[in-house]
Amino acid sequence: MNAIECNNLCRSFGRVTAVNDLTLAVPVGSFFALLGPNGAGKTTLLKLILNLLRPDSGSAHVLGCDSMRLKSKNFRRIGYVADGQDLPDWMTVAQLLDYCRPLYPTWDEELARRLSKMFDLPTDRPIKKVSRGMRMKAALLSNLSFRPELMVLDEPFSGLDPLVRDDFIQGLLELPDDDCPRTFIVSSHDIDEVERLADDVGFLSEGRLLIHESADLLRDRIRRVEVVGKGVAALALEAAPKEWMEVKRPAENVLQFVHDAFARDTTESKLLAMFPGASVTARTMSLREIFLVIARKQRIEKGREAA
Amino acid sequence: MNLAAHILRKDLRHSWLLILLVVAFVAINSLKATLWVPVSYSGGDFSFFPVAKFVAVWVLALVVVQADLTVGDRAFWRTRPISPGSLLFAKLLLFFVVLVFPLLVADAYFSALLDTSWRVALGMALEGTGFILFNALCAALIASMTASLLQSALALLGAVLVVAIAGSLKNEITPDLHLALPWDLTVQYPGPRIFSASFYCCLALVALLAHQYQTRRTIRTALLLATAVPLVLFAANRWPLNLFASTPLAAAPVVSLPNADEVRIELKGEPSVWGFTFLGNQQAKQFFPDRVIYGNVPALTVKIEASLADAPAGCFVDLDSVSSRLRMDDGTEIAFPAQSKGYWPFWTKANQEATVCRYLHLGVPLPANMAAPRGPIRLFTLPVATAKDLNGKKGTLNVTLKLQERTFHEETRLPARNGARRSYQGNMWRINSINVGPDGATVYMVYIRATSMLVPEEAYRPDTARDFTQRGYVLFNRKLGEYVLGSRSGAFGWVSSGTLFYNRNSFSFNERLREGGAIVKGAIDKAWLKDAELIILKSDLIGSVTKRITLKNIEVPQPAENPGPAMPEFWN
């Protein structure tokens, strides 16, 4: 079963298409990292999912409910923390929790107390007078305390120092591991932070979902390859196969590239067949590196189209 | 309901200071009639609180609604288990708790204090709370369609401009853009029309708010608002809500003065310039039909000395209005519309006093030198430039005077002591204090009256009767057989604060008179007042008469060559 399903979702703002015919499924119990450059449409997508924005076409379902028909009872199961979300700033953290508590039948006071202590939040100060990090932690606390089945986080780490980020992630991990499977969807620039949590990864660019697969499979599939051998010099870089990205020759007998479809069993033998006698080294890449490569490729292709 | 109450508690906590301010303004505005502190009518205390209440209600509604925004995609409540219906209900509940409930309490207090009937009490409650609720709902709708106070202020400004332009287009485009109400109030009894339109407006506002909360489609709500305006006006005209009056007020009875022939007016001298004034551009338009007039036009008023001869015994005649028509020999004709005027002040006062004494079976204290008092009658007012154009020309002036005959009845009487109070049928008189000095006594009084536009009877309308033409005040010491006629000493004014009309006056009582009109030596003192009571008499209209005067071969009097500093050109 999927916690989130989007079918041919489209949303434009004037001439700008923020989400373009996007289809996505996030299984229940997964941690989905939504990655992409600025303006890729990540925030718009999350807002469409939560019915904060209306789609121009297409549909989205959240926990089995059409996003356009999300009712207050559905939001008892959904948490949302966003960088730009309004909070009742005049309240203290304690007042915010008091306000939220009666709204959720699943409110876990013990968890709220534990998180509050872990986050070291000043409960008696108005939210408008605490730091940005504290504000985000207060928002997270008010969401985690009802143990949501689906947690949507939109740029939660933006502008936070490493200590606060760590607290934040620790907070997410604090959710009790009971019978209810929990789903997380996080959009972020801070790929390093989500890498250790993400089960699935989606790369969004210009409103389109370029990649959506398991993080492990992605790391297996996209690898940085180095081929060393005499035959390498004969290859014209322009003639490189299309699944090779960022092809370069740092030395005469050395060829480096990122392989978009690396297969442990076959790729190495194919390369050896192309370059007899050469040595092939394939290194796994971090999500951050993969993201950068894909982003650069997109930029180049966009430049070509424009030209 | 629980969720709405929860949100209400949150809003009360959020806006407690503003709420306190609003409740204070509402309370002061309602209760200031009973605050027995002498105040000046020229001061700002009477205009400040109604305006402050109005502004505070708007600000409160804007702040409360925008605490949970219904525009944009960042509002906290949007991703919480809070339904739009509960949220709207919580906001409306707050309006009821903070605005309506205190007013209902105040109205109940005044209904008991003024001894009003249940109809008037209900009328006051509906009118008072309806007005404030209407304002709050208007503000709430604007707030629900905007994201900040600044945006709300701009939207409000835009809405006012639209209404002003629509109003001007409806009549005619004049240089001074004026605000026209979108329904016709020029009827004798506009209360049901106002109430009907307001009631349907409130329904429409709640429906529009519900639409905005449910859909958050601001443009669609704005379009619905534009559609709702004609619908509301149609509904108000088609299905008027005459809660208390099944038929409009009957027209005032036309009665003729029984002894009209006995009322004679004697004129003395020629018409002369009484003074300078200004005519508004609308009034001045008839004199300059080809010009576009900006601002006011300098004008002069022409008078003639007149006196009332052989006034009928026991008859108190008051001048109601004067209109005139000037026809020059060269064919030029100017019609001056009727203007309400109560000149002849000496004559009316003396006559009134005589009538008061007759009513109380007391001697008439009419001084000999006031037996045939004379006073000016304003004949007409015309622009200085027009008067100069008519210089040297002769013509005929037809003047129409409308006169009213009045008789007195006792309105109430109360002991002449501090704090004395009398309530009856929605009215209350109270003596705040009596100051006794060497020349007599000054009595400070408050008069409060319950009014409601929903109750058509004359008794429940604001009482703007001009004292000393329509009321008489007598301190009467029955034990000594003496009386003193009151004369106004303090500023006279009246204020209509929502459903309460009230005024504060002070009256001087100086000359002690014995029955028969003889003057008694000595001033009023506390011992005299101890056995005295204050009798308040009010006049009733019993008839009217029209007198026409024709002045032949007259010239329009000219202003002096150098009447003072030159007036600026107000028109071109």
Side-chain angles (χ1 to χ4, degrees):
Chain A
M1 187 188 168
N2 292 321
I4 294 169
E5 276 180 20
C6 300
N7 295 304
N8 308 109
L9 212 51
C10 289
R11 171 71 198 216
S12 300
F13 297 99
R15 290 179 184 175
V16 179
T17 304
V19 173
N20 191 355
D21 198 25
L22 188 141
T23 297
L24 168 75
V26 178
V28 167
S30 66
F31 195 115
F32 180 75
L34 187 62
L35 308 175
N38 283 334
K42 302 186 294 294
T43 297
T44 304
L45 175 61
L46 295 184
K47 286 183 174 176
L48 288 170
I49 287 169
L50 292 178
N51 195 28
L52 293 172
L53 290 173
R54 259 169 247 281
D56 296 334
S57 62
S59 65
H61 285 76
V62 184
L63 298 176
C65 177
D66 184 345
S67 69
M68 298 274 280
R69 298 180 189 280
L70 280 176
K71 298 262 188 278
S72 60
K73 66 177 181 185
N74 300 110
F75 281 106
R76 288 179 187 156
R77 302 159 65 197
I78 303 170
Y80 176 65
V81 176
D83 182 28
Q85 190 192 19
D86 286 343
L87 287 178
D89 282 351
W90 56 274
M91 287 185 189
T92 63
V93 176
Q95 286 171 340
L96 177 68
L97 297 180
D98 289 344
Y99 182 52
C100 292
R101 192 178 296 115
L103 302 177
Y104 299 97
T106 55
W107 187 270
D108 186 338
E109 191 56 36
E110 174 55 35
L111 176 63
R113 223 182 340 262
R114 203 165 66 237
L115 286 171
S116 182
K117 196 174 175 184
M118 189 178 89
F119 288 164
D120 196 22
L121 280 167
T123 53
D124 55 345
R125 276 171 64 189
I127 295 169
K128 65 183 168 194
K129 290 189 177 170
V130 300
S131 67
R132 181 185 165 82
M134 289 292 184
R135 185 187 153 88
M136 291 298 283
K137 285 199 280 191
L140 186 67
L141 170 60
S142 71
N143 277 283
L144 293 180
S145 297
F146 63 88
R147 293 180 292 165
E149 290 174 40
L150 171 65
M151 188 75 203
V152 179
L153 300 126
D154 185 11
E155 298 289 359
F157 309 115
S158 162
L160 302 186
D161 65 52
L163 272 176
V164 178
R165 287 181 191 194
D166 204 51
D167 281 351
F168 207 94
I169 289 167
Q170 283 303 318
L172 294 179
L173 297 173
E174 273 293 310
L175 269 183
D177 192 14
D178 48 19
D179 293 341
C180 177
R182 304 190 194 287
T183 311
F184 292 84
I185 177 165
V186 183
S187 84
S188 179
H189 287 112
D190 296 279
I191 305 164
D192 295 338
E193 296 291 355
V194 296
E195 182 160 16
R196 49 181 162 145
L197 300 167
D199 303 320
D200 292 327
V201 177
F203 277 107
L204 203 61
S205 176
E206 295 184 340
R208 290 177 185 275
L209 194 63
L210 301 179
I211 292 171
H212 174 207
E213 61 188 295
S214 145
D216 291 338
L217 287 178
L218 188 70
R219 279 188 287 257
D220 273 350
R221 182 168 68 81
I222 300 179
R223 296 219 179 176
R224 191 173 289 286
V225 177
E226 186 176 79
V227 184
V228 181
K230 288 181 181 173
V232 167
L235 180 77
L237 294 184
E238 296 76 21
K242 64 177 182 182
E243 63 266 26
W244 294 9
M245 297 179 288
E246 299 195 343
V247 185
K248 54 191 173 187
R249 193 168 17 227
E252 192 177 349
N253 293 334
V254 179
L255 184 68
Q256 290 178 344
F257 59 90
V258 176
H259 201 296
D260 188 19
F262 189 85
R264 197 183 296 270
D265 303 333
T266 57
T267 307
E268 199 169 326
S269 54
K270 280 184 185 172
L271 287 170
L272 287 173
M274 277 177 76
F275 307 109
S279 69
V280 176
T281 314
R283 186 171 64 78
T284 55
M285 298 163 71
S286 67
L287 280 180
R288 179 185 170 76
E289 287 174 302
I290 294 171
F291 167 73
L292 288 173
V293 168
I294 293 171
R296 278 198 289 267
K297 184 187 172 191
Q298 282 296 309
R299 198 182 298 164
I300 291 166
E301 284 178 358
K302 196 176 170 186
R304 278 190 196 137
E305 281 172 16
Chain B
M1 184 65 191
N2 283 345
L3 179 57
H6 183 61
I7 299 168
L8 171 68
R9 278 196 295 274
K10 184 264 292 182
D11 284 335
L12 288 173
R13 188 188 286 173
H14 177 215
S15 309
W16 67 270
L17 193 61
L18 192 55
I19 287 167
L20 212 61
L21 205 65
V22 170
V23 172
F25 284 145
V26 169
I28 292 171
N29 204 48
S30 295
L31 301 176
K32 68 184 179 186
T34 55
L35 302 175
W36 314 116
V37 184
V39 287
S40 159
Y41 282 92
S42 58
D45 49 347
F46 281 88
S47 54
F48 173 75
F49 287 108
V51 174
K53 183 184 84 171
F54 178 77
V55 172
V57 166
W58 270 76
V59 172
L60 176 69
L62 293 173
V63 167
V64 164
V65 169
Q66 290 188 342
D68 298 287
L69 284 176
T70 51
V71 293
D73 51 25
R74 296 162 55 148
F76 180 74
W77 71 275
R78 295 282 306 278
T79 53
R80 300 285 172 168
I82 295 172
S83 67
S86 300
L87 190 64
L88 177 58
F89 186 61
K91 306 297 175 187
L92 297 179
L93 204 59
L94 184 136
F95 293 160
F96 181 82
V97 170
V98 174
L99 304 175
V100 175
F101 184 68
L103 267 179
L104 287 177
V105 171
D107 279 340
Y109 167 70
F110 278 110
S111 296
L113 186 72
L114 273 62
D115 189 26
T116 58
S117 67
W118 70 268
R119 292 171 72 230
V120 178
L122 186 59
M124 286 168 67
L126 282 174
E127 190 180 329
T129 56
F131 175 75
I132 206 163
L133 203 56
F134 174 73
N135 274 292
L137 288 174
C138 284
L141 183 63
I142 289 178
S144 72
M145 296 166 69
T146 48
S148 66
L149 287 178
L150 181 65
Q151 280 185 20
S152 300
L154 291 174
L156 179 63
L157 190 67
V160 168
L161 271 178
V162 166
V163 173
I165 291 168
S168 293
L169 288 176
K170 189 186 168 193
N171 299 305
E172 57 179 325
I173 298 174
T174 53
D176 53 335
L177 209 63
H178 61 278
L179 208 143
L181 288 170
W183 62 85
D184 184 14
L185 295 179
T186 55
V187 292
Q188 191 188 7
Y189 176 52
R193 286 196 186 193
I194 297 172
F195 177 73
S196 303
S198 306
F199 178 77
Y200 290 120
C201 262
C202 285
L203 287 186
L205 286 167
V206 171
L208 289 166
L209 275 167
H211 177 267
Q212 177 65 11
Y213 269 78
Q214 285 292 342
T215 66
R216 297 171 296 280
R217 295 194 162 187
T218 305
I219 293 174
R220 198 190 277 181
T221 306
L223 291 174
L224 282 174
L225 172 63
T227 315
V229 172
L231 281 178
V232 163
L233 298 178
F234 172 77
N237 283 322
R238 180 71 179 78
W239 300 288
L241 303 167
N242 292 327
L243 293 187
F244 300 106
S246 54
T247 53
L249 264 193
V254 179
V255 287
S256 299
L257 207 58
N259 40 16
D261 293 341
E262 296 179 36
V263 179
R264 293 212 306 276
I265 294 166
E266 290 179 353
L267 304 178
K268 187 177 182 184
E270 294 294 318
S272 60
V273 174
W274 196 357
F276 292 93
T277 181
F278 293 96
L279 287 176
N281 58 351
Q282 289 295 319
Q283 295 168 293
K285 205 172 178 182
Q286 67 160 320
F287 299 101
F288 311 105
D290 303 331
R291 292 179 182 172
V292 178
I293 302 164
Y294 298 99
N296 297 326
V297 172
L300 61 85
T301 297
V302 175
K303 65 161 185 176
I304 192 164
E305 292 293 318
S307 65
L308 192 79
D310 302 331
C315 171
F316 165 50
V317 180
D318 188 22
L319 178 60
D320 185 42
S321 68
V322 182
S323 60
S324 55
R325 179 179 288 271
L326 180 64
R327 185 194 293 269
M328 307 308 293
D329 294 342
D330 64 0
T332 311
E333 192 169 318
I334 303 171
F336 301 96
Q339 296 201 40
S340 176
K341 281 297 154 196
Y343 294 129
W344 289 341
F346 298 113
W347 182 83
T348 52
K349 182 175 184 297
N351 224 264
Q352 184 223 28
E353 286 181 351
T355 317
V356 166
C357 290
R358 280 196 195 100
Y359 175 83
L360 293 171
H361 307 291
L362 304 168
V364 180
L366 201 61
N369 61 353
M370 289 174 68
R374 204 166 55 231
I377 300 175
R378 189 176 78 159
L379 295 174
F380 55 82
T381 299
L382 81 174
V384 172
T386 307
K388 285 181 177 172
D389 288 345
L390 298 173
N391 190 16
K393 296 176 183 174
K394 296 205 170 187
T396 303
L397 181 71
N398 292 305
V399 185
T400 303
L401 302 172
K402 284 197 174 170
L403 303 165
Q404 293 178 339
E405 184 186 16
R406 293 178 169 274
T407 186
F408 278 89
H409 75 271
E410 184 176 322
E411 189 168 3
T412 191
R413 62 174 70 197
L414 56 167
R417 63 165 186 267
N418 293 352
R421 192 176 81 188
R422 186 78 72 207
S423 299
Y424 57 94
Q425 295 178 331
N427 296 269
M428 193 189 81
W429 289 91
R430 186 186 193 274
I431 296 177
N432 272 358
S433 61
I434 302 178
N435 290 351
V436 179
D439 296 329
T442 305
V443 179
Y444 296 91
M445 285 190 296
V446 170
Y447 170 54
I448 307 178
R449 185 175 190 172
T451 71
S452 172
M453 66 178 181
L454 301 176
V455 181
E457 284 87 340
E458 182 70 29
Y460 298 111
R461 292 173 154 191
D463 180 1
T464 54
R466 290 165 292 160
D467 274 38
F468 274 108
T469 54
Q470 293 173 21
R471 275 209 179 89
Y473 299 83
V474 184
L475 277 178
F476 186 44
N477 187 321
R478 195 174 293 279
K479 197 172 175 182
L480 296 174
E482 291 177 12
Y483 63 95
V484 185
L485 293 168
S487 60
R488 181 164 58 85
S489 64
F492 169 78
W494 59 271
V495 175
S496 193
S497 172
T499 52
L500 286 178
F501 162 90
Y502 62 99
N503 67 27
R504 298 180 185 188
N505 279 309
S506 60
F507 296 95
S508 293
F509 294 86
N510 307 114
E511 207 166 48
R512 284 166 59 186
L513 301 165
R514 200 180 294 283
E515 287 190 53
I519 296 172
V520 180
K521 284 187 177 175
I524 299 171
D525 54 19
K526 286 185 177 173
W528 192 95
L529 285 170
K530 198 176 173 187
D531 298 319
E533 55 188 348
L534 175 69
I535 302 172
I536 300 170
L537 303 167
K538 194 180 178 191
S539 68
D540 297 315
L541 178 69
I542 57 166
S544 61
V545 65
T546 301
K547 289 282 176 187
R548 290 190 176 82
I549 302 165
T550 302
L551 300 170
K552 291 182 178 175
N553 212 25
I554 71 156
E555 286 186 39
V556 173
Q558 293 298 307
E561 282 300 316
N562 187 10
M567 291 284 185
E569 284 291 329
F570 283 92
W571 74 98
N572 52 36

